[in-house]
Amino acid sequence: MTYTPVSAMKCFLWVVLVISLDLSSANSISSYNHYRLPTALRPQKYYLRILTLLENPDDLRFAGSVQIVIEALENTRNITLHSKNLTIDESQITLRHISGSGSKDNCVSSTSVNPTHDYYILHTCRELLAGNVYKLCLPFSAELNRQLFGYYRSSYKDPVTNTTRWLSATQFEPAAARKAFPCFDEPGFKASFVVTLGYHKQFTGLSNMPVKEIETHESLPNYVWCEFEQSVPMSTYLVAYSVNDFSFKPSTLPNGALFRTWARPNAIDQCDYAAEFGPKVLQYYEQFFGIKFPLPKIDQIALPDFSAGAMENWGLVTYRETTLLYSPTHSSLSDQQNLANVIAHELAHQWFGNLVTMKWWTDLWLNEGFATYVAGLGVQQFHPEWHSRDKGILTALITSFRLDSLVSSHPISRPIQMVTEIEESFDAISYQKGSAVLRMMHLFMGEESFRSGLKEYLQLHAYKNAEQDNLWESLTSAAHQSGALDGHLYIKTIMDSWTLQTGYPVLNITRDYSAGTAMLTQERYLRNSQIPRAERVGCWWVPLSYTTQVEKHFNNTGPRAWMECSNTGESVPTTIDLLPGPEEWLIFNIQLSTPYKANYDARNWKLLIDTLNSGEFQSIHVINRAQLIDDVLYFAWTGEQDYDTALQLTNYLQRERDLIPWKAALDNLKLLNRLLRQTSNFGSFKRYMKKLLTPIYEHLNGMNDTFSSITQQDHVLLKTMVVNVACQYQVGDCVPQALAYYRHWRSEANPDENNPVPINLRSTVYCTALGQGSEEDWDFLWSRYKKSNVGSDRQTILSTLGCSKAVWILQRYMEKAFSPKSGIRKQDSALCFQAVASGQVGFLLAKQYMMENIEFIYKYYYPQIRALSSLLLPFSEQVSTMSDLNKFRSFANDSRHFLKGIRQAMQQSLETMLTNVQWMDRNYQHFSRTIQHHL
Ligand SMILES: *[C@@H]1O[C@H](CO)[C@@H](O)[C@H](O)[C@H]1NC(C)=O
Ligand SMILES: *[C@@H]1O[C@H](CO)[C@@H](O)[C@H](O)[C@H]1NC(C)=O
Ligand SMILES: *[C@@H]1O[C@H](CO)[C@@H](O)[C@H](O)[C@H]1NC(C)=O
Ligand SMILES: *[C@@H]1O[C@H](CO)[C@@H](O)[C@H](O)[C@H]1NC(C)=O
Ligand SMILES: *[C@@H]1O[C@H](CO)[C@@H](O)[C@H](O)[C@H]1NC(C)=O
Ligand SMILES: *[C@@H]1O[C@H](CO)[C@@H](O)[C@H](O)[C@H]1NC(C)=O
Ligand SMILES: [Zn+2]
């Protein structure tokens, strides 16, 4: 095949009234330094033409032109927009007046840039006049980058011909459309897009809208121009396109939008589940939101290289392979639930985010919190046996409780100026805490008023932008109308206390047993015990749901009272009366409906613990059992309760057979493991863990393959989770069984075809085997990685290759992780590093590797350095001595140049390490003594 070089495209059509450019001061530095674009201009429509060249692997690139129809709202002498790392042929820029009473001809006299905010500024020859409409045409070109952002390249190996196939894809959120074409790259500048893609005819082009027509290219042989229908008005970050040679599976439902699922041809048989589930969930949301999906089609595509989990581009949703592709013979149940959840999340965005978009990134949480929350409802609808709603909310709470107990956390809604700050906002606070406070509102408002308020909000702001206050207005009026909220209460008053304030409260509940009352106070909960009392002030509006041992009204999640704040934002102690006698427990926060922690007086804890440790433990709702575990372990950590109380409570786990309390317990106990496993008293902790785990391990038949007889799907996950820890603590026959499975697999003649290890046990078996195993065991698994065709399978392998305890093997693995030639994709490098760094031996190696190679790692990710923050996670959990903490502090300081894009994550890591050091100082001796009494 011959390769034809193509220069940047010309702005072909505009011969009339075009005045050529006088570039007297090209690319001088502009004085305009505000982080938001000027508002004098508003883009109405983009005509975007992009030619993608995938023939020459040494020169993968694109060339295009964009014509932007711009309305002047105020008079101005410049057009300021975003452009990043694009080559713009300035001699070809044109500016034309197309309507209004102003002067007919105009031109661009000079350009300048502002690299801090990625501005490209065109100074016009004549003033643009308010009320007039102009058309600006800019030709541009760039290479298809390797950064997984903007317009980038991806590839896969075709197993039949053993050749590399190239493809292109976009990832624009939050601020990378500017890397693909010059544009007004802020979510508030919505416009319609007419996309036309040029490519070799062996490929397919996809974009947000359906194809309008395909024409042959005017000069390049075998090339076509594929024009797509004009889009609805949307934000630049939702524009998407891809040129690829994928196959698709259609699955359109009657009366539904055209629905297709795309993947590389040799993975198309892994699309069945997503193709079936996607359209059903889309239809569910049409009913849930009461608004039809507005586009004629929707495609979902699995990309071999993808930075995030998935992206909700309107009408063309992009995924990692692991979040879209499902193989019944290779994907575990947890993989399947994960992908259902991601699909449901992205499709929820088609309304929340795409139809109604945040005005500015400050309100990112509205998009993400909503999609996270509603995804749980969508999955629940079609897989009630998975209990995804409850599991989702527990995960949301557990994750956000941890992060949000740090001083270095941040409010859900917060000011944003720099792109790095936008990127840092894609965190547990926006997603998980956001989802938790939305659920709180759903539960205190009730189904009907919540749904009608939402619908009104979406209808009112469709195709436009909104802020959280707009949502509060719609919800308040719905809640007042239905009587769900007292006339004197406003959603804004309540919700501002949750979204504008960092953290969450702990409620101190002290009962007066003779009077039958309880007195409630609140303050901010912080894990860092050096913070003085005076800095823990704060007031949250708390809907109070509670029940008692007699009532057991665990279905009643609505508020029986409110804990209010004064006009000046101070908390007002609240008294609850008509409570039962001294022999009965009282429990607050039914089904964890609100993100707060509840601490009781000693007697009430005792009553709860007695019930948990009796045959009656199931009379407490399963989510509240998880709550009690999570709360008591937090309080013991920070000293509000002692470990004797906490361990008495967790003792009941010997009876527990449900997933949710186990998840809460193992999550917290893992932290103790990380601190204790290098101490001389680890033996006692291990014995305690064995005591808790043995009954459940046996109940679930341990490592034996009994999956086909499990009727309750939850127990599949529970078994997966339990055996994983059981092998770590050498419970029962866990380790020998794991080794036997692995030996069996290794003896298979064709291990890529036949894997005798039960799918849901693979992670545990691989990790256990490599932990004990030889170089050959490691190399065997690595070969399986290289040959696997299934994303989730490859992910399982990568995360267990770090389980080796051999220093040199781990070192070699870490080096592979950051070496593009090794076969590990950039998207997976953090997973590999984490796998090494989480291990006891690997931790020390990874720490040293990171500190010595930070510049190299920085360059590997540059400019997407946010990936660095996930490398820090395993260290946060394990650093527990003052000297190690100080090493990290100096590292943070010495390497600040490389770490400045992840400042927030670094602060959070350092603070977490500090709380570990505090734990060792305050609790280690006490804990070591106490646990002896519980063995
Ligand atoms: C461009 O015009 C806007 C609005 O008139 C103005 O605020 C801004 O400062 C100008 N930018 C430059 C670089 O002159
Ligand atoms: C900008 O693009 C050039 C090639 O087009 C590339 O070499 C360079 O690394 C890019 N810079 C950034 C910061 O992405
Ligand atoms: C595939 O090609 C690579 C080099 O491109 C070569 O090393 C490898 O042996 C080939 N594999 C097969 C099965 O032909
Ligand atoms: C609570 O709700 C669950 C599920 O909706 C239902 O099965 C149960 O019977 C209800 N319990 C009471 C006491 O109403
Ligand atoms: C909580 O109540 C206990 C008494 O049960 C009291 O000692 C403690 O100071 C209270 N803490 C707060 C934050 O009010
Ligand atoms: C697994 O199965 C074997 C053989 O049937 C049995 O001896 C063993 O006790 C089982 N293990 C567990 C934990 O159930
Ligand atoms: Zn999202």
Side-chain angles (χ1 to χ4, degrees):
M1 192 169 60
T2 39
Y3 167 69
T4 320
V6 176
S7 61
M9 263 181 287
K10 297 189 168 33
C11 291
F12 37 91
L13 293 172
W14 317 112
V15 244
V16 218
L17 298 177
V18 167
I19 279 90
S20 76
L21 192 67
D22 164 24
L23 288 170
S24 45
S25 63
N27 287 345
S28 63
I29 299 296
S30 161
S31 57
Y32 183 78
N33 200 31
H34 185 51
Y35 65 97
R36 299 288 294 274
L37 292 173
T39 50
L41 301 175
R42 198 180 66 85
Q44 292 177 334
K45 195 171 181 179
Y46 291 77
Y47 294 90
L48 186 58
R49 283 173 84 86
I50 292 171
L51 183 69
T52 304
L53 299 161
L54 293 169
E55 275 68 69
N56 180 356
D58 297 326
D59 188 19
L60 300 174
R61 56 200 187 90
F62 63 96
S65 72
V66 62
Q67 295 169 43
I68 315 176
V69 179
I70 302 169
E71 179 188 355
L73 304 177
E74 295 159 29
N75 295 356
T76 182
R77 296 206 60 117
N78 72 73
I79 302 173
T80 300
L81 38 68
H82 291 101
S83 171
K84 186 165 188 178
N85 215 22
L86 294 169
T87 306
I88 296 177
D89 180 356
E90 301 198 321
S91 68
Q92 301 290 335
I93 297 178
T94 63
L95 175 64
R96 204 169 66 107
H97 175 265
I98 54 175
S99 79
S101 53
S103 151
K104 289 295 170 221
D105 44 336
N106 207 331
C107 63
V108 172
S109 58
S110 67
T111 63
S112 53
V113 294
N114 175 329
T116 313
H117 298 296
D118 308 328
Y119 293 148
Y120 184 68
I121 298 141
L122 303 113
H123 302 276
T124 59
C125 303
R126 291 191 179 74
E127 190 165 46
L128 305 179
L129 300 176
N132 285 255
V133 179
Y134 302 86
K135 195 177 239 174
L136 172 71
C137 181
L138 292 158
F140 56 89
S141 65
E143 71 164 359
L144 282 166
N145 72 59
R146 297 172 175 81
Q147 302 159 357
L148 317 186
F149 271 86
Y151 193 30
Y152 70 93
R153 66 181 69 187
S154 174
S155 66
Y156 67 95
K157 194 79 147 201
D158 177 354
V160 181
T161 58
N162 192 25
T163 52
T164 299
R165 300 296 189 125
W166 291 97
L167 61 132
S168 65
T170 54
Q171 170 59 38
F172 289 169
E173 193 183 21
R178 65 191 64 172
K179 291 183 174 182
F181 61 97
C183 57
F184 295 81
D185 199 11
E186 287 184 7
F189 287 102
K190 288 196 176 185
S192 327
F193 289 82
V194 178
V195 175
T196 305
L197 297 178
Y199 47 83
H200 191 282
K201 67 182 183 195
Q202 66 173 309
F203 293 106
T204 307
L206 293 175
S207 185
N208 306 79
M209 298 297 289
V211 173
K212 186 174 175 197
E213 60 178 342
I214 300 184
E215 289 176 353
T216 51
H217 193 280
E218 62 280 2
S219 57
L220 282 177
N222 294 321
Y223 267 67
V224 293
W225 281 117
C226 175
E227 183 184 344
F228 298 88
E229 302 278 356
Q230 175 174 327
S231 80
V232 296
M234 63 182 187
S235 306
T236 46
Y237 80 88
L238 292 169
V239 174
Y241 36 88
S242 168
V243 174
N244 60 67
D245 62 358
F246 282 9
S247 310
F248 71 94
K249 188 176 165 65
S251 58
T252 309
L253 291 178
N255 304 318
L258 175 70
F259 208 111
R260 296 177 301 185
T261 304
W262 297 77
R264 50 190 168 86
N266 55 325
I268 192 69
D269 59 336
Q270 299 170 32
C271 287
D272 294 359
Y273 176 73
E276 184 204 326
F277 180 70
K280 287 198 298 200
V281 160
L282 195 74
Q283 208 162 54
Y284 167 75
Y285 290 142
E286 290 186 333
Q287 284 151 21
F288 183 87
F289 293 119
I291 298 175
K292 215 168 156 43
F293 177 68
L295 305 187
K297 71 94 181 169
I298 181 160
D299 289 302
Q300 43 185 14
I301 180 169
L303 296 167
D305 297 280
F306 198 76
S307 57
M311 176 63 209
E312 69 265 22
N313 314 302
W314 216 347
L316 176 55
V317 188
T318 47
Y319 294 84
R320 271 186 184 221
E321 290 200 350
T322 44
T323 55
L324 192 68
L325 303 184
Y326 172 72
S327 155
T329 52
H330 289 87
S331 310
S332 66
L333 179 63
S334 129
D335 294 328
Q336 187 186 13
Q337 295 191 355
N338 181 43
L339 80 91
N341 204 51
V342 175
I343 294 171
H345 177 109
E346 303 311 327
L347 295 181
H349 272 311
Q350 306 298 311
W351 285 263
F352 242 97
N354 300 8
L355 185 64
V356 179
T357 313
M358 67 258 149
K359 265 208 176 98
W360 179 241
W361 298 103
T362 294
D363 285 319
L364 173 69
W365 81 275
L366 276 184
N367 278 12
E368 297 306 345
F370 240 98
T372 305
Y373 178 51
V374 176
L377 308 183
V379 178
Q380 178 85 17
Q381 183 72 17
F382 300 102
H383 292 286
E385 75 285 5
W386 288 355
H387 303 293
S388 5
R389 200 179 40 195
D390 290 353
K391 270 208 314 273
I393 200 59
L394 186 78
T395 306
L397 285 163
I398 286 187
T399 325
S400 51
F401 277 148
R402 179 134 322 132
L403 181 54
D404 218 14
S405 64
L406 300 176
V407 181
S408 51
S409 183
H410 62 86
I412 289 182
S413 171
R414 58 161 179 178
I416 297 281
Q417 299 201 351
M418 301 300 292
V419 169
T420 51
E421 292 171 333
I422 311 175
E423 288 167 352
E424 284 195 320
S425 291
F426 288 82
D427 69 355
I429 297 298
S430 301
Y431 285 70
Q432 311 292 3
K433 190 182 179 189
S435 139
V437 303
L438 290 168
R439 171 173 177 263
M440 163 181 92
M441 199 166 55
H442 193 169
L443 294 179
F444 78 66
M445 288 181 67
E447 191 64 26
E448 206 180 307
S449 55
F450 183 70
R451 295 264 285 258
S452 75
L454 269 191
K455 187 171 168 183
E456 184 199 279
Y457 167 81
L458 289 171
Q459 281 170 344
L460 214 54
H461 304 285
Y463 305 108
K464 297 198 288 262
N465 296 76
E467 302 175 294
Q468 65 174 23
D469 281 354
N470 300 119
L471 179 60
W472 305 155
E473 279 158 28
S474 295
L475 290 170
T476 301
S477 80
H480 284 167
Q481 227 158 46
S482 71
L485 202 63
D486 243 39
H488 79 284
L489 291 179
Y490 296 89
I491 295 287
K492 178 173 166 58
T493 321
I494 297 164
M495 295 305 289
D496 276 357
S497 76
W498 293 96
T499 62
L500 302 181
Q501 217 175 180
T502 310
Y504 58 88
V506 48
L507 264 53
N508 204 10
I509 299 154
T510 313
R511 292 176 66 178
D512 180 332
Y513 291 87
S514 52
T517 59
M519 159 86 154
L520 279 60
T521 58
Q522 59 165 305
E523 65 177 12
R524 179 164 179 210
Y525 182 80
L526 287 173
R527 213 155 162 100
N528 181 345
S529 46
Q530 282 172 1
I531 307 297
R533 204 72 185 263
E535 287 171 34
R536 294 162 185 255
V537 291
C539 184
W540 287 262
W541 283 73
V542 183
L544 296 171
S545 58
Y546 56 90
T547 192
T548 65
Q549 192 158 357
V550 183
E551 294 175 350
K552 301 195 181 78
H553 284 167
F554 281 102
N555 277 3
N556 198 349
T557 49
R560 291 166 80 157
W562 281 87
M563 197 158 179
E564 305 196 349
C565 307
S566 73
N567 291 336
T568 51
E570 269 134 47
S571 86
V572 184
T574 306
T575 302
I576 306 280
D577 51 17
L578 301 174
L579 294 176
E583 303 308 324
E584 287 175 35
W585 48 251
L586 166 70
I587 195 166
F588 270 80
N589 209 5
I590 303 303
Q591 298 190 33
L592 268 171
S593 47
T594 302
Y596 67 86
K597 301 214 149 274
N599 197 3
Y600 305 98
D601 54 74
R603 180 180 186 96
N604 197 59
W605 274 116
K606 171 97 175 48
L607 292 165
L608 287 163
I609 288 169
D610 287 347
T611 295
L612 284 176
N613 280 290
S614 75
E616 299 279 289
F617 72 97
Q618 283 170 315
S619 67
I620 297 175
H621 192 280
V622 61
I623 302 184
N624 286 99
R625 302 206 293 276
Q627 170 206 26
L628 291 170
I629 294 168
D630 197 56
D631 283 2
V632 86
L633 287 169
Y634 267 65
F635 297 142
W637 184 291
T638 41
E640 281 91 359
Q641 292 294 335
D642 55 33
Y643 270 103
D644 194 43
T645 308
L647 295 175
Q648 281 176 35
L649 194 149
T650 49
N651 225 9
Y652 104 94
L653 285 164
Q654 293 171 92
R655 300 171 180 271
E656 185 57 79
R657 301 289 180 263
D658 238 299
L659 175 72
I660 286 181
W662 269 110
K663 183 161 169 36
L666 293 177
D667 238 66
N668 280 285
L669 293 168
K670 181 179 143 202
L671 295 185
L672 294 178
N673 167 299
R674 291 293 186 262
L675 301 185
L676 292 166
R677 68 183 181 185
Q678 310 220 31
T679 68
S680 53
N681 284 316
F682 182 61
S684 318
F685 181 69
K686 187 166 149 186
R687 258 188 293 157
Y688 181 72
M689 289 303 290
K690 268 187 164 163
K691 176 179 128 181
L692 296 188
L693 287 164
T694 301
I696 182 83
Y697 180 78
E698 281 169 1
H699 174 76
L700 298 166
N701 299 304
M703 294 289 278
N704 290 338
D705 187 356
T706 50
F707 288 101
S708 57
S709 61
I710 294 181
T711 47
Q712 220 178 321
Q713 295 255 319
D714 267 2
H715 276 182
V716 173
L717 287 196
L718 180 60
K719 180 164 168 141
T720 307
M721 196 166 79
V722 164
V723 299
N724 191 23
V725 240
C727 277
Q728 285 170 33
Y729 293 102
Q730 288 131 38
V731 172
D733 56 5
C734 197
V735 171
Q737 288 249 42
L739 298 181
Y741 278 124
Y742 198 74
R743 268 198 310 274
H744 191 173
W745 188 25
R746 277 203 61 185
S747 65
E748 283 286 345
N750 187 351
D752 297 308
E753 289 297 310
N754 305 315
N755 185 343
V757 187
I759 299 175
N760 291 290
L761 298 182
R762 284 181 186 168
S763 179
T764 303
V765 168
Y766 301 171
C767 188
T768 309
L770 293 200
Q772 316 256 333
S774 61
E775 181 186 348
E776 288 73 28
D777 286 322
W778 197 94
D779 292 345
F780 172 79
L781 197 58
W782 175 252
S783 306
R784 305 288 74 74
Y785 167 76
K786 299 278 265 192
K787 300 221 171 91
S788 172
N789 184 37
V790 179
S792 49
D793 192 31
R794 285 201 301 263
Q795 185 173 280
T796 303
I797 296 179
L798 287 181
S799 65
T800 50
L801 283 169
C803 294
S804 169
K805 296 198 174 78
V807 170
W808 75 273
I809 289 181
L810 291 172
Q811 187 70 29
R812 185 180 64 177
Y813 187 40
M814 253 186 317
E815 286 168 17
K816 278 186 198 292
F818 299 109
S819 151
K821 290 209 169 61
S822 71
I824 296 176
R825 294 174 189 267
K826 186 175 272 189
Q827 64 172 10
D828 296 322
S829 53
L831 175 72
C832 304
F833 184 82
Q834 286 180 342
V836 173
S838 309
Q840 206 168 334
V841 178
F843 164 62
L844 302 169
L845 285 177
K847 191 172 62 172
Q848 192 180 355
Y849 185 87
M850 169 117 168
M851 289 185 176
E852 286 172 3
N853 297 290
I854 184 65
E855 182 170 358
F856 166 76
I857 300 176
Y858 171 85
K859 285 183 176 150
Y860 174 77
Y861 287 117
Y862 183 84
Q864 249 45 65
I865 36 164
R866 197 182 121 77
L868 284 171
S869 62
S870 53
L871 307 186
L872 292 174
L873 289 174
F875 300 126
S876 316
E877 285 181 356
Q878 294 182 88
V879 167
S880 61
T881 64
M882 203 60 205
S883 73
D884 260 1
L885 171 57
N886 283 334
K887 270 184 220 143
F888 265 92
R889 283 175 171 156
S890 330
F891 166 65
N893 187 46
D894 299 343
S895 311
R896 58 188 177 281
H897 170 69
F898 305 119
L899 301 171
K900 64 174 183 283
I902 57 160
R903 259 191 46 223
Q904 174 185 293
M906 195 61 183
Q907 280 171 355
Q908 288 165 352
S909 287
L910 293 173
E911 192 183 349
T912 307
M913 294 171 188
L914 175 66
T915 63
N916 297 341
V917 175
Q918 291 172 348
W919 191 91
M920 292 302 288
D921 285 349
R922 188 182 45 239
N923 292 324
Y924 175 64
Q925 295 299 341
H926 159 66
F927 181 83
S928 305
R929 273 193 313 275
T930 308
I931 202 158
Q932 301 290 340
H933 306 294
H934 293 271
L935 294 178

